[in-house]
Amino acid sequence: MLNLGQMIEHIAFNVFEPSAMSLWYARYFALKILRQDATAPYVHFLADETGMMVEFYHNPIGAVPSYAEQSPYTLHLAFKSSDLMGDIERLKEAGATQTIGIQHMANGDKLVFMRDPWGFNFQLCQRKSF
């Protein structure tokens, strides 16, 4: 049983190209690469400024989902944005594609789904408040 004070350490994704993906996310989302193993299963840990980590790895023991065929409503990695239009354009220039138009939520939030160059879904969130 977890102590209620426990925090999420990381979320992990089995992908075909963990090194390339890690470099891309580090560059375009200002994540820090904490670990990058050059041997199988090629574990790469990236962290944001709060210490929340994302792991990209490739382990053939588990199937790599067909991320490019998944709806972003099935799975996506979400990032805060304070400049939604600017971030969309910057990420398009870096090889991402916008998959759904900007959603203007009733509470004032603005959300957009995109895919990275490998087809993995991510979302940009410009929140009115939390």
Side-chain angles (χ1 to χ4, degrees):
M1 185 164 153
L2 289 176
N3 175 332
L4 292 179
Q6 297 287 341
M7 297 181 68
I8 295 171
E9 190 211 44
H10 77 276
I11 185 165
F13 302 100
N14 196 11
V15 299
F16 287 116
E17 296 184 56
S19 180
M21 287 180 71
S22 294
L23 291 171
W24 193 84
Y25 279 92
R27 179 174 181 185
Y28 295 106
F29 290 92
L31 300 176
K32 183 177 179 182
I33 298 176
L34 301 179
R35 178 182 296 164
Q36 47 187 343
D37 294 342
T39 58
Y42 310 103
V43 172
H44 288 65
F45 279 101
L46 296 92
D48 68 11
E49 62 189 24
T50 70
M52 175 60 190
M53 293 186 293
V54 173
E55 175 187 4
F56 292 120
Y57 65 98
H58 179 68
N59 192 327
I61 292 172
V64 174
S66 182
Y67 296 114
E69 295 176 12
Q70 287 183 335
S71 165
Y73 295 102
T74 300
L75 176 73
H76 63 271
L77 185 59
F79 295 91
K80 290 181 183 180
S81 173
S82 59
D83 177 13
L84 196 64
M85 293 306 297
D87 286 335
I88 290 168
E89 291 309 312
R90 177 177 64 83
L91 292 164
K92 282 181 178 179
E93 290 174 8
T97 55
Q98 184 175 342
T99 57
I100 296 176
I102 297 172
Q103 298 171 299
H104 297 268
M105 310 306 287
N107 64 3
D109 292 351
K110 295 178 186 175
L111 310 171
V112 66
F113 283 117
M114 301 184 77
R115 290 187 190 274
D116 68 19
W118 299 269
F120 190 86
N121 290 301
F122 67 91
Q123 182 181 51
L124 300 177
C125 307
Q126 187 172 328
R127 303 279 182 198
K128 178 153 172 105
S129 64
F130 244 118

